[in-house]
Amino acid sequence: MFETLTESLGSFFSKIGAKGRKITETDVKEGLRTVRMALLEADVALPVVKTFMDKVGEKAVGQAVLESVQPQEQLVKIVHDELIDLMGGGEAQLVLQNQGPTIIMMCGLQGSGKTTTTAKLANRLKAKGRKPLLVAADLQRPAAVAQLKVLGEDLDVPVFSESGVSPPDVCVHAVAHAKQTGRDIVLLDTAGRLHIDDDLMKELETVQQRTQPHEILLVVDAMVGQDAVQSAKEFDARLPISGVILTKLDGDARGGAALSVKHVTGKPIKFVGVGEKLDRLEEFHPERMATRILG
Amino acid sequence: LLVGRKLGEAECDELRATLIGADLGPRLAEDLVDKAQGAFKDRAIESADQIAQFLKAEVKKQFPPQDSAPRFADEAPTVILIVGVNGSGKTTTTAKLAHFYKQQGQKVLLAAADTFRAAAVEQLTLWSERVGVEIVKGQQGAKPDSVAYTACEKALAQKFDLLLIDTAGRLHNKKNLMDELEKITRVIKKKVPSGPHEVLLVLDGTTGQNAVRQAEVFTGGAGVTGLVITKLDGTAKGGAVLAMRSEVEVPVKWIGLGEQMTDLKPFDADSFLDAIFG
Ligand SMILES: Nc1nc2c(ncn2[C@@H]2O[C@H](COP(=O)(O)OP(=O)(O)OP(=O)(O)O)[C@@H](O)[C@H]2O)c(=O)[nH]1
Ligand SMILES: Nc1nc2c(ncn2[C@@H]2O[C@H](COP(=O)(O)OP(=O)(O)OP(=O)(O)O)[C@@H](O)[C@H]2O)c(=O)[nH]1
Ligand SMILES: [Mg+2]
Ligand SMILES: [Mg+2]
């Protein structure tokens, strides 16, 4: 789709104008089909698109569009504003404790960017004068612990690891270690897992029960398609997810998963990953995401 | 239900939801719904429950079995280059392929050409030990193309049947990284002029429509000869592979179904399409 949404709607409405008649509600409904296509092309999940289009549909057949000289701009503005409204809101900052270490648990599907993002958060928190402790609780993936240790060395942030025990044990011991060594943020990097893997999802529940994290962040790859709804729903059902981090936004995926995940979990997108280097973490801006999704 | 010789709206909506939900994308989903309508009108199908079989047969034509066959060199070593975006499963797939071919009695060599990411070389080294194959890795700070070159030298000198080169994840919109891949290919050709014999694009099965873009750019820039679709042991259906057919013709060669070295299967169009169309 090389034409922007505004362009394609513009040519649609101008064809009607060229026929010399006024824009009607039916015309607007037809224009909305173009919007629906754009959202699906952008990987927003179908059930989310349906709900979203119902909301937009009501506003779109209002006077603003029908009476406008440039109906396509009015329509796109309504859609854009609705996207911003849906994706924004909620506590977009990390909730850091004043007493005792703040425990942040990272979770998500395989390869979504958890380990890299955990290190990015440590980098960010260290720059703010905090004393983070990185915890290598992925005992599954070959060299996962080594990966976090290398990143910790690059940042001059300590990494806690322990062999011969279960991931929940590593996490519990790490929190104790943080208290003993005066580290005030504990970042738990966990192994990637499928939301349908009951044993591994139970393992996450155990980590949560035994360490009571203040933040549980779901790390989602920005290029994920319709499956975003399935996985986000399941993680959110089994854990008190407090926020989402969308990664690899330096790619060219439209990122409709952002809307899907926000819609099904109701949890705020707190950060976005925009590169492989450890300083490539930014705050989430709903208006930028809305523009990107609409292509 | 079935109104005259026309599929009802409920049937069409359900079909559309299934296809979009599988990541076929809205355009292809619409085309297929139209096809089903057409077949119904022409009496090629008689009832709604024949739609799945009909569409499956239609789409299956795009996946002739001979296309999925792996490519080998006329004389050893066969060089396979593993490429794809970050986190798609390249390193794990490299290990799976090493295991697969070792089981078939081939002498397999691995090359750890991801010299960039933290512990990437360690990760593939651990896999080489588990699978029981040799590995070539560079010095600290080595360039990926020099690792590939050294690996080709060893493969030739020590008569390996197969060389698998794992590369760093890279987003296709990063020109310098795509240029690096072209450089690796050129360097391979210096030692093995007919190589790489296979360039496998590893695609995460949960990817949406961006997979189309990935396939286009990697095919244009790195001469991709086949796809590996990973993580299909999850709930994603990998339907973006069908969406990309309109833009680029790359055969699917392998499916990744888990995190162990045995979790790799040669692509089978029937089971892949069964999962999508139901
Ligand atoms: N370009 C880009 N690459 C990223 C970003 N975040 C992570 N990556 C890369 O994505 C790949 C996977 O990252 P990891 O941090 O290993 O992912 P993970 O979720 O920990 O993976 P598992 O532990 O195996 O589930 C690596 O190559 C990272 O460098 C990002 O924002 N942009
Ligand atoms: N469930 C499942 N997980 C997989 C599959 N293939 C790979 N993985 C997991 O996905 C994650 C990333 O795999 P890697 O092999 O490190 O991916 P990569 O493409 O080499 O990553 P980078 O080199 O960082 O770009 C790991 O946790 C793997 O175990 C698969 O078929 N199914
Ligand atoms: Mg990890
Ligand atoms: Mg790798």
Side-chain angles (χ1 to χ4, degrees), chain A residues 76-212:
Chain A
V76 172
K77 180 163 186 331
I78 289 172
V79 175
H80 199 254
D81 288 352
E82 191 65 28
L83 282 175
I84 293 171
D85 197 50
L86 273 177
M87 287 193 292
E91 183 46 77
Q93 297 297 326
L94 285 179
V95 179
L96 305 179
Q97 308 300 306
N98 293 320
Q99 293 275 30
T102 299
I103 303 169
I104 302 176
M105 176 178 158
M106 314 291 286
C107 64
L109 297 177
Q110 289 91 345
S112 62
K114 297 173 294 302
T115 303
T116 310
T117 305
T118 308
K120 287 178 181 179
L121 283 174
N123 186 31
R124 186 180 181 88
L125 292 163
K126 183 171 184 221
K128 297 202 174 198
R130 293 283 185 149
K131 303 208 201 74
L133 173 70
L134 287 165
V135 181
D138 177 355
L139 306 179
Q140 179 98 341
R141 167 174 153 155
V145 174
Q147 184 184 5
L148 196 61
K149 281 193 167 155
V150 170
L151 298 178
E153 272 165 39
D154 290 347
L155 296 176
D156 190 24
V157 169
V159 179
F160 181 89
S161 67
E162 194 180 350
S163 51
V165 296
S166 70
D169 280 342
V170 174
C171 294
V172 171
H173 299 170
V175 175
H177 179 83
K179 289 176 179 164
Q180 289 160 14
T181 56
R183 309 307 295 177
D184 63 357
I185 313 242
V186 178
L187 291 153
L188 307 172
D189 180 26
T190 64
R193 67 204 64 214
L194 296 176
H195 50 290
I196 52 171
D197 186 327
D198 196 47
D199 288 339
L200 287 186
M201 290 304 286
K202 276 207 177 74
E203 180 185 90
L204 279 184
E205 290 173 338
T206 305
V207 171
Q208 189 269 324
Q209 284 154 18
R210 295 181 62 196
T211 63
Q212 297 291 314

Side-chain angles (χ1 to χ4, degrees), chain A residues 1 36-37 40-41 43 46 50 109-111 140-143 146-147 150-151 192 194-196 221 223-227 230 248 250-253 275-277, chain B residues 16-17 20-21 23 26-27 85-87 116-119 122-123 126-127 130 169 171-174 204 206-210 213-214 231 233-236 259:
Chain A
M1 251 198 156
R36 173 192 144 91
M37 263 310 219
L40 289 172
E41 289 276 358
D43 291 321
L46 182 60
K50 285 188 171 161
L109 297 177
Q110 289 91 345
Q140 179 98 341
R141 167 174 153 155
Q147 184 184 5
V150 170
L151 298 178
L194 296 176
H195 50 290
I196 52 171
D221 192 325
M223 64 184 86
V224 160
Q226 299 287 310
D227 196 55
Q230 260 81 278
K248 307 177 201 173
D250 47 320
D252 58 13
E276 291 194 74
K277 298 226 162 72
Chain B
R16 205 175 280 116
I20 291 177
D23 283 317
R27 285 162 200 275
V85 305
N86 307 71
F116 170 74
R117 207 209 69 210
E122 282 91 320
Q123 186 185 1
L126 279 168
W127 275 118
R130 284 187 195 185
L171 293 179
H172 49 286
N173 58 328
K174 310 225 163 154
D204 187 322
T206 64
T207 310
Q209 298 308 298
N210 193 247
R213 198 67 199 124
Q214 289 178 31
K231 309 178 196 173
D233 45 318
T235 50
E259 302 189 68

Side-chain angles (χ1 to χ4, degrees), chain B residues 129-170:
Chain B
E129 291 165 6
R130 284 187 195 185
V131 174
V133 292
E134 289 188 53
I135 181 168
V136 169
K137 30 190 166 167
Q139 298 277 16
Q140 174 76 346
K143 288 253 160 275
D145 51 287
S146 81
V147 175
Y149 188 82
T150 307
C152 286
E153 280 188 318
K154 182 179 170 94
L156 282 165
Q158 299 180 9
K159 309 222 175 346
F160 281 87
D161 297 310
L162 176 66
L163 168 60
L164 293 159
I165 305 177
D166 180 26
T167 64
R170 69 202 67 228

Side-chain angles (χ1 to χ4, degrees), chain B residues 50-229:
Chain B
Q50 289 176 337
I51 296 173
Q53 280 313 314
F54 169 77
L55 288 180
K56 203 183 128 214
E58 275 293 300
V59 174
K60 193 168 168 207
K61 293 176 195 160
Q62 298 180 1
F63 297 93
Q66 61 273 18
D67 282 5
S68 304
R71 284 190 188 187
F72 290 105
D74 292 334
E75 49 179 288
T78 291
V79 180
I80 301 181
L81 189 62
I82 310 287
V83 305
V85 305
N86 307 71
S88 63
K90 298 176 291 303
T91 303
T92 312
T93 298
T94 305
K96 290 174 183 177
L97 285 167
H99 172 73
F100 183 90
Y101 286 115
K102 180 165 188 270
Q103 296 290 80
Q104 291 192 344
Q106 294 207 25
K107 188 177 173 195
V108 183
L109 178 65
L110 296 184
D114 177 357
T115 57
F116 170 74
R117 207 209 69 210
V121 175
E122 282 91 320
Q123 186 185 1
L124 192 63
T125 302
L126 279 168
W127 275 118
S128 73
E129 291 165 6
R130 284 187 195 185
V131 174
V133 292
E134 289 188 53
I135 181 168
V136 169
K137 30 190 166 167
Q139 298 277 16
Q140 174 76 346
K143 288 253 160 275
D145 51 287
S146 81
V147 175
Y149 188 82
T150 307
C152 286
E153 280 188 318
K154 182 179 170 94
L156 282 165
Q158 299 180 9
K159 309 222 175 346
F160 281 87
D161 297 310
L162 176 66
L163 168 60
L164 293 159
I165 305 177
D166 180 26
T167 64
R170 69 202 67 228
L171 293 179
H172 49 286
N173 58 328
K174 310 225 163 154
K175 178 152 196 327
N176 60 324
L177 297 182
M178 294 309 289
D179 287 346
E180 180 185 82
L181 210 47
E182 275 188 71
K183 182 154 193 245
I184 294 172
T185 307
R186 271 181 276 131
V187 163
I188 291 170
K189 285 193 185 308
K190 285 192 183 147
K191 256 313 186 199
V192 184
S194 59
H197 307 95
E198 187 95 89
V199 177
L200 294 177
L201 173 59
V202 178
L203 181 67
D204 187 322
T206 64
T207 310
Q209 298 308 298
N210 193 247
V212 180
R213 198 67 199 124
Q214 289 178 31
E216 279 179 311
V217 180
F218 273 95
T219 303
V224 168
T225 59
L227 293 178
V228 180
I229 315 297

